[in-house]
Amino acid sequence: MTAARLRALHHGRAPGDPLVLPGPWDAASARVFADAGFEALATPSAGIGESLGYGDGHTPADEMFAAVARITRAVDVPVTADVEAGYGLPAKELVDRLLEAGAVGCNLEDSDAATGVLRDPERQAAWLAEVRAAAGDALVINARIDTFLRGVPGAGPAVERGLRYVAAGADCVYPILAPPELLPELAAGIGAPVNALAVPGGPAPRELGAAGASRVTFGGGLQHAATETLRGVAAALRAE
């Protein structure tokens, strides 16, 4: 599985037909999604963290990369990995560890999970450029934009960051928690594939695609849904 294949899946898509990337948290869930016919997968840091007994943002880097490696070995479709804000690793080491784990893409955040502070966009763009230089074309870089997550309203600040990140070499951008009604403005303003988050009770992936998203991910939502199903199974067993 190559980054070229994953990159190509982002382009030439019809409105309402985004690239839908389920988020496996282990090898078994990855096989379920691949067997269902999904073209690629996107590991969620929250889902993997919960499956390993950590909260989101608290998984040690070694355990995260090991989990990603188990997932990539289990399937024959491209896998992009959420590696949060990069774990403080130098760009080359981060890229090397992603490639060693079998990932062909990565999700990189522009805020600190512990403090909630947004990174300076110029410094973040410079870091993304280092990642791109280290990776060449071997990774699809999805640059997460955390303005909406951190309470900065409106499309303008997200577009400004997105333009910087694309210029630095990002293949796509991810304005997490962007209101769906702003997706057309974000997609037009940034001029690159936009990743939207599908949430329970929100627009379906096809609706997000029609609004301007080129790809759709689920964060830790699918792992959470599976856990809730298991809670029901456990409750039924106790009732027997």
Side-chain angles (χ1 to χ4, degrees):
M1 297 301 104
T2 65
R5 179 176 174 186
L6 177 60
R7 190 173 288 113
L9 291 172
H10 290 73
H11 298 280
R13 308 196 72 90
D17 181 33
L19 174 61
V20 178
L21 297 166
W25 54 93
D26 60 13
S29 60
R31 289 194 187 102
V32 168
F33 294 132
D35 289 347
F38 288 98
E39 298 173 284
L41 306 176
T43 70
S45 62
I48 288 178
E50 291 293 334
S51 75
L52 295 175
Y54 301 100
D56 189 20
H58 297 284
T59 307
D62 287 349
E63 293 197 45
M64 183 64 74
F65 287 114
V68 171
R70 289 191 291 271
I71 288 168
T72 63
R73 287 197 299 266
V75 296
D76 291 323
V77 298
V79 175
T80 177
D82 181 352
V83 288
E84 304 178 275
Y87 307 111
L89 298 173
K92 186 178 187 308
E93 183 178 351
L94 176 64
V95 168
D96 287 346
R97 297 196 69 173
L98 281 162
L99 296 178
E100 287 169 5
V104 297
C106 62
N107 186 81
L108 296 169
E109 305 169 3
D110 68 353
S111 71
D112 184 273
T115 65
V117 175
L118 282 163
R119 292 183 173 181
D120 175 78
E122 187 173 349
R123 291 181 61 188
Q124 179 72 359
W127 181 66
L128 290 171
E130 291 179 14
V131 175
R132 171 53 70 206
D137 62 0
L139 289 174
V140 173
I141 299 174
N142 185 36
R144 205 177 88 175
I145 300 169
D146 288 359
T147 52
F148 297 103
L149 176 66
R150 303 306 178 191
V152 181
V159 168
E160 179 184 350
R161 285 175 178 263
L163 289 170
R164 286 180 181 271
Y165 300 164
V166 171
D171 295 280
C172 48
V173 296
Y174 179 16
I176 189 171
L177 296 182
E181 62 270 18
L182 291 184
L183 285 173
E185 185 177 354
L186 291 166
I190 296 170
V194 170
N195 187 136
L197 177 68
V199 298
R206 287 189 178 278
E207 294 174 296
L208 293 170
S214 296
R215 75 183 227 174
V216 175
T217 53
F218 301 85
L222 300 179
Q223 188 271 340
H224 178 75
T227 298
E228 289 305 304
T229 297
L230 189 57
R231 288 187 197 281
V233 172
L237 287 173
R238 288 285 295 169
E240 290 181 355

